[in-house]
Amino acid sequence: MSFQSLQKKIFVLIALSLLVLSPLAAGDKTVMLDSSDPPAAAVDVLVDAEFVLTFTSNVINMKVSDNNRSCFTLLNDNGESVALEVLMADDQIEPEFKRIIRVKAHENLNKDSGYSIVISGKLKAKNGSTLGEDTTISFRTAP
């Protein structure tokens, strides 16, 4: 085997290695809940509060918005479902809101009561990644 032939094979091996490893070097692109306002475990939450949920990736793009609207459940402390609104901007018009989903109960919540917002692990980002497992944000309303 000639030196040039060996160089070509090494070059091809390096190029293939870079193609395989580059997604790993770019960092984990899995979508995650970055923050919640009000935060998890908050107390004295207003009965008409709107939760602003910020994720690590675009979760409102039209490719995933229909799926993601169905990924939120609001439960009272008895485990009963409470009607919920899921609000999303249009990422084509307002790209600065592409990582934000707002949720709010259709009607005022009961005072001095416990609630949980459950985000399904099926929540999907524009990049195709999913939350993977359910995420729960528990809180208590003001007396």
PDB file of all heavy atoms in Angstrom, residues 22-46:
ATOM      1  N   SER A  22     -19.815  15.075  15.472  1.00  0.00           N
ATOM      2  CA  SER A  22     -20.161  16.497  15.513  1.00  0.00           C
ATOM      3  C   SER A  22     -21.484  16.789  16.213  1.00  0.00           C
ATOM      4  O   SER A  22     -21.578  17.761  16.948  1.00  0.00           O
ATOM      5  CB  SER A  22     -20.133  17.118  14.121  1.00  0.00           C
ATOM      6  OG  SER A  22     -21.085  16.521  13.284  1.00  0.00           O
ATOM      7  N   PRO A  23     -22.534  15.959  16.063  1.00  0.00           N
ATOM      8  CA  PRO A  23     -23.744  16.249  16.835  1.00  0.00           C
ATOM      9  C   PRO A  23     -23.501  16.183  18.337  1.00  0.00           C
ATOM     10  O   PRO A  23     -24.082  16.944  19.107  1.00  0.00           O
ATOM     11  CB  PRO A  23     -24.731  15.172  16.395  1.00  0.00           C
ATOM     12  CG  PRO A  23     -24.253  14.740  15.050  1.00  0.00           C
ATOM     13  CD  PRO A  23     -22.758  14.877  15.114  1.00  0.00           C
ATOM     14  N   LEU A  24     -22.628  15.284  18.765  1.00  0.00           N
ATOM     15  CA  LEU A  24     -22.325  15.192  20.194  1.00  0.00           C
ATOM     16  C   LEU A  24     -21.564  16.412  20.672  1.00  0.00           C
ATOM     17  O   LEU A  24     -21.792  16.922  21.768  1.00  0.00           O
ATOM     18  CB  LEU A  24     -21.512  13.920  20.477  1.00  0.00           C
ATOM     19  CG  LEU A  24     -22.188  12.597  20.150  1.00  0.00           C
ATOM     20  CD1 LEU A  24     -21.208  11.444  20.348  1.00  0.00           C
ATOM     21  CD2 LEU A  24     -23.434  12.409  20.970  1.00  0.00           C
ATOM     22  N   ALA A  25     -20.661  16.904  19.858  1.00  0.00           N
ATOM     23  CA  ALA A  25     -19.872  18.074  20.231  1.00  0.00           C
ATOM     24  C   ALA A  25     -20.720  19.336  20.257  1.00  0.00           C
ATOM     25  O   ALA A  25     -20.430  20.276  20.977  1.00  0.00           O
ATOM     26  CB  ALA A  25     -18.720  18.257  19.247  1.00  0.00           C
ATOM     27  N   ALA A  26     -21.805  19.354  19.486  1.00  0.00           N
ATOM     28  CA  ALA A  26     -22.673  20.531  19.426  1.00  0.00           C
ATOM     29  C   ALA A  26     -23.484  20.692  20.706  1.00  0.00           C
ATOM     30  O   ALA A  26     -24.090  21.731  20.939  1.00  0.00           O
ATOM     31  CB  ALA A  26     -23.607  20.440  18.226  1.00  0.00           C
ATOM     32  N   GLY A  27     -23.541  19.678  21.537  1.00  0.00           N
ATOM     33  CA  GLY A  27     -24.295  19.776  22.779  1.00  0.00           C
ATOM     34  C   GLY A  27     -25.622  19.053  22.661  1.00  0.00           C
ATOM     35  O   GLY A  27     -26.082  18.718  21.579  1.00  0.00           O
ATOM     36  N   ASP A  28     -26.236  18.804  23.787  1.00  0.00           N
ATOM     37  CA  ASP A  28     -27.505  18.100  23.848  1.00  0.00           C
ATOM     38  C   ASP A  28     -28.615  19.041  23.403  1.00  0.00           C
ATOM     39  O   ASP A  28     -28.809  20.101  23.985  1.00  0.00           O
ATOM     40  CB  ASP A  28     -27.737  17.617  25.283  1.00  0.00           C
ATOM     41  CG  ASP A  28     -28.971  16.751  25.421  1.00  0.00           C
ATOM     42  OD1 ASP A  28     -29.577  16.406  24.389  1.00  0.00           O
ATOM     43  OD2 ASP A  28     -29.311  16.414  26.562  1.00  0.00           O
ATOM     44  N   LYS A  29     -29.353  18.665  22.388  1.00  0.00           N
ATOM     45  CA  LYS A  29     -30.435  19.492  21.861  1.00  0.00           C
ATOM     46  C   LYS A  29     -31.799  19.024  22.359  1.00  0.00           C
ATOM     47  O   LYS A  29     -32.813  19.402  21.807  1.00  0.00           O
ATOM     48  CB  LYS A  29     -30.407  19.486  20.325  1.00  0.00           C
ATOM     49  CG  LYS A  29     -29.139  20.067  19.750  1.00  0.00           C
ATOM     50  CD  LYS A  29     -29.028  21.543  20.051  1.00  0.00           C
ATOM     51  CE  LYS A  29     -27.794  22.120  19.399  1.00  0.00           C
ATOM     52  NZ  LYS A  29     -27.543  23.467  19.743  1.00  0.00           N
ATOM     53  N   THR A  30     -31.831  18.189  23.381  1.00  0.00           N
ATOM     54  CA  THR A  30     -33.089  17.713  23.936  1.00  0.00           C
ATOM     55  C   THR A  30     -33.846  18.881  24.550  1.00  0.00           C
ATOM     56  O   THR A  30     -33.270  19.676  25.291  1.00  0.00           O
ATOM     57  CB  THR A  30     -32.832  16.633  25.007  1.00  0.00           C
ATOM     58  OG1 THR A  30     -32.099  15.577  24.419  1.00  0.00           O
ATOM     59  CG2 THR A  30     -34.122  16.115  25.583  1.00  0.00           C
ATOM     60  N   VAL A  31     -35.127  18.975  24.241  1.00  0.00           N
ATOM     61  CA  VAL A  31     -35.930  20.056  24.810  1.00  0.00           C
ATOM     62  C   VAL A  31     -36.159  19.788  26.297  1.00  0.00           C
ATOM     63  O   VAL A  31     -36.366  18.644  26.716  1.00  0.00           O
ATOM     64  CB  VAL A  31     -37.273  20.220  24.055  1.00  0.00           C
ATOM     65  CG1 VAL A  31     -38.175  19.018  24.209  1.00  0.00           C
ATOM     66  CG2 VAL A  31     -37.990  21.480  24.503  1.00  0.00           C
ATOM     67  N   MET A  32     -36.071  20.841  27.098  1.00  0.00           N
ATOM     68  CA  MET A  32     -36.311  20.752  28.540  1.00  0.00           C
ATOM     69  C   MET A  32     -37.050  22.004  28.987  1.00  0.00           C
ATOM     70  O   MET A  32     -36.962  23.048  28.329  1.00  0.00           O
ATOM     71  CB  MET A  32     -34.991  20.657  29.302  1.00  0.00           C
ATOM     72  CG  MET A  32     -34.208  19.403  29.036  1.00  0.00           C
ATOM     73  SD  MET A  32     -32.678  19.278  30.017  1.00  0.00           S
ATOM     74  CE  MET A  32     -31.721  20.616  29.356  1.00  0.00           C
ATOM     75  N   LEU A  33     -37.732  21.907  30.105  1.00  0.00           N
ATOM     76  CA  LEU A  33     -38.326  23.087  30.721  1.00  0.00           C
ATOM     77  C   LEU A  33     -37.193  23.873  31.357  1.00  0.00           C
ATOM     78  O   LEU A  33     -36.474  23.356  32.204  1.00  0.00           O
ATOM     79  CB  LEU A  33     -39.367  22.693  31.768  1.00  0.00           C
ATOM     80  CG  LEU A  33     -40.042  23.846  32.502  1.00  0.00           C
ATOM     81  CD1 LEU A  33     -40.868  24.701  31.547  1.00  0.00           C
ATOM     82  CD2 LEU A  33     -40.921  23.318  33.632  1.00  0.00           C
ATOM     83  N   ASP A  34     -37.030  25.115  30.940  1.00  0.00           N
ATOM     84  CA  ASP A  34     -35.950  25.967  31.446  1.00  0.00           C
ATOM     85  C   ASP A  34     -36.397  26.715  32.694  1.00  0.00           C
ATOM     86  O   ASP A  34     -35.663  26.822  33.663  1.00  0.00           O
ATOM     87  CB  ASP A  34     -35.521  26.939  30.350  1.00  0.00           C
ATOM     88  CG  ASP A  34     -34.260  27.687  30.683  1.00  0.00           C
ATOM     89  OD1 ASP A  34     -33.360  27.099  31.306  1.00  0.00           O
ATOM     90  OD2 ASP A  34     -34.160  28.876  30.314  1.00  0.00           O
ATOM     91  N   SER A  35     -37.639  27.250  32.665  1.00  0.00           N
ATOM     92  CA  SER A  35     -38.140  27.987  33.823  1.00  0.00           C
ATOM     93  C   SER A  35     -39.654  28.082  33.782  1.00  0.00           C
ATOM     94  O   SER A  35     -40.282  27.876  32.741  1.00  0.00           O
ATOM     95  CB  SER A  35     -37.537  29.394  33.873  1.00  0.00           C
ATOM     96  OG  SER A  35     -37.989  30.170  32.780  1.00  0.00           O
ATOM     97  N   SER A  36     -40.204  28.415  34.928  1.00  0.00           N
ATOM     98  CA  SER A  36     -41.637  28.611  35.083  1.00  0.00           C
ATOM     99  C   SER A  36     -41.850  29.852  35.928  1.00  0.00           C
ATOM    100  O   SER A  36     -41.188  30.042  36.941  1.00  0.00           O
ATOM    101  CB  SER A  36     -42.248  27.396  35.782  1.00  0.00           C
ATOM    102  OG  SER A  36     -43.577  27.658  36.169  1.00  0.00           O
ATOM    103  N   ASP A  37     -42.775  30.698  35.507  1.00  0.00           N
ATOM    104  CA  ASP A  37     -43.121  31.889  36.278  1.00  0.00           C
ATOM    105  C   ASP A  37     -44.638  31.972  36.389  1.00  0.00           C
ATOM    106  O   ASP A  37     -45.294  32.146  35.373  1.00  0.00           O
ATOM    107  CB  ASP A  37     -42.573  33.147  35.598  1.00  0.00           C
ATOM    108  CG  ASP A  37     -42.827  34.407  36.433  1.00  0.00           C
ATOM    109  OD1 ASP A  37     -42.999  34.287  37.657  1.00  0.00           O
ATOM    110  OD2 ASP A  37     -42.882  35.496  35.845  1.00  0.00           O
ATOM    111  N   PRO A  38     -45.191  31.780  37.592  1.00  0.00           N
ATOM    112  CA  PRO A  38     -44.569  31.497  38.873  1.00  0.00           C
ATOM    113  C   PRO A  38     -43.805  30.177  38.849  1.00  0.00           C
ATOM    114  O   PRO A  38     -44.120  29.290  38.076  1.00  0.00           O
ATOM    115  CB  PRO A  38     -45.747  31.434  39.853  1.00  0.00           C
ATOM    116  CG  PRO A  38     -46.925  31.998  39.148  1.00  0.00           C
ATOM    117  CD  PRO A  38     -46.653  31.914  37.701  1.00  0.00           C
ATOM    118  N   PRO A  39     -42.813  30.064  39.747  1.00  0.00           N
ATOM    119  CA  PRO A  39     -41.987  28.854  39.770  1.00  0.00           C
ATOM    120  C   PRO A  39     -42.698  27.671  40.419  1.00  0.00           C
ATOM    121  O   PRO A  39     -43.709  27.829  41.111  1.00  0.00           O
ATOM    122  CB  PRO A  39     -40.785  29.290  40.610  1.00  0.00           C
ATOM    123  CG  PRO A  39     -41.313  30.359  41.500  1.00  0.00           C
ATOM    124  CD  PRO A  39     -42.373  31.073  40.701  1.00  0.00           C
ATOM    125  N   ALA A  40     -42.157  26.479  40.202  1.00  0.00           N
ATOM    126  CA  ALA A  40     -42.670  25.277  40.857  1.00  0.00           C
ATOM    127  C   ALA A  40     -42.607  25.472  42.363  1.00  0.00           C
ATOM    128  O   ALA A  40     -41.718  26.146  42.874  1.00  0.00           O
ATOM    129  CB  ALA A  40     -41.845  24.069  40.438  1.00  0.00           C
ATOM    130  N   ALA A  41     -43.570  24.899  43.061  1.00  0.00           N
ATOM    131  CA  ALA A  41     -43.685  24.956  44.526  1.00  0.00           C
ATOM    132  C   ALA A  41     -44.044  26.342  45.043  1.00  0.00           C
ATOM    133  O   ALA A  41     -43.933  26.600  46.241  1.00  0.00           O
ATOM    134  CB  ALA A  41     -42.424  24.428  45.194  1.00  0.00           C
ATOM    135  N   ALA A  42     -44.481  27.222  44.164  1.00  0.00           N
ATOM    136  CA  ALA A  42     -44.880  28.565  44.600  1.00  0.00           C
ATOM    137  C   ALA A  42     -46.120  28.481  45.488  1.00  0.00           C
ATOM    138  O   ALA A  42     -46.973  27.608  45.319  1.00  0.00           O
ATOM    139  CB  ALA A  42     -45.161  29.451  43.389  1.00  0.00           C
ATOM    140  N   VAL A  43     -46.186  29.379  46.448  1.00  0.00           N
ATOM    141  CA  VAL A  43     -47.373  29.510  47.292  1.00  0.00           C
ATOM    142  C   VAL A  43     -47.908  30.923  47.099  1.00  0.00           C
ATOM    143  O   VAL A  43     -47.210  31.804  46.612  1.00  0.00           O
ATOM    144  CB  VAL A  43     -47.057  29.241  48.781  1.00  0.00           C
ATOM    145  CG1 VAL A  43     -46.668  27.779  48.982  1.00  0.00           C
ATOM    146  CG2 VAL A  43     -45.948  30.145  49.283  1.00  0.00           C
ATOM    147  N   ASP A  44     -49.139  31.122  47.449  1.00  0.00           N
ATOM    148  CA  ASP A  44     -49.791  32.422  47.287  1.00  0.00           C
ATOM    149  C   ASP A  44     -49.897  32.846  45.822  1.00  0.00           C
ATOM    150  O   ASP A  44     -49.822  34.026  45.481  1.00  0.00           O
ATOM    151  CB  ASP A  44     -49.078  33.513  48.106  1.00  0.00           C
ATOM    152  CG  ASP A  44     -49.212  33.276  49.603  1.00  0.00           C
ATOM    153  OD1 ASP A  44     -50.194  32.620  50.010  1.00  0.00           O
ATOM    154  OD2 ASP A  44     -48.343  33.738  50.357  1.00  0.00           O
ATOM    155  N   VAL A  45     -50.065  31.859  44.935  1.00  0.00           N
ATOM    156  CA  VAL A  45     -50.265  32.142  43.518  1.00  0.00           C
ATOM    157  C   VAL A  45     -51.673  32.710  43.346  1.00  0.00           C
ATOM    158  O   VAL A  45     -52.624  32.220  43.948  1.00  0.00           O
ATOM    159  CB  VAL A  45     -50.085  30.856  42.677  1.00  0.00           C
ATOM    160  CG1 VAL A  45     -50.460  31.076  41.222  1.00  0.00           C
ATOM    161  CG2 VAL A  45     -48.655  30.350  42.806  1.00  0.00           C
ATOM    162  N   LEU A  46     -51.794  33.752  42.559  1.00  0.00           N
ATOM    163  CA  LEU A  46     -53.099  34.362  42.313  1.00  0.00           C
ATOM    164  C   LEU A  46     -54.037  33.365  41.646  1.00  0.00           C
ATOM    165  O   LEU A  46     -53.600  32.549  40.822  1.00  0.00           O
ATOM    166  CB  LEU A  46     -52.953  35.605  41.439  1.00  0.00           C
ATOM    167  CG  LEU A  46     -52.092  36.728  42.021  1.00  0.00           C
ATOM    168  CD1 LEU A  46     -51.933  37.852  41.001  1.00  0.00           C
ATOM    169  CD2 LEU A  46     -52.694  37.247  43.320  1.00  0.00           C
TER     170      LEU A  46
END
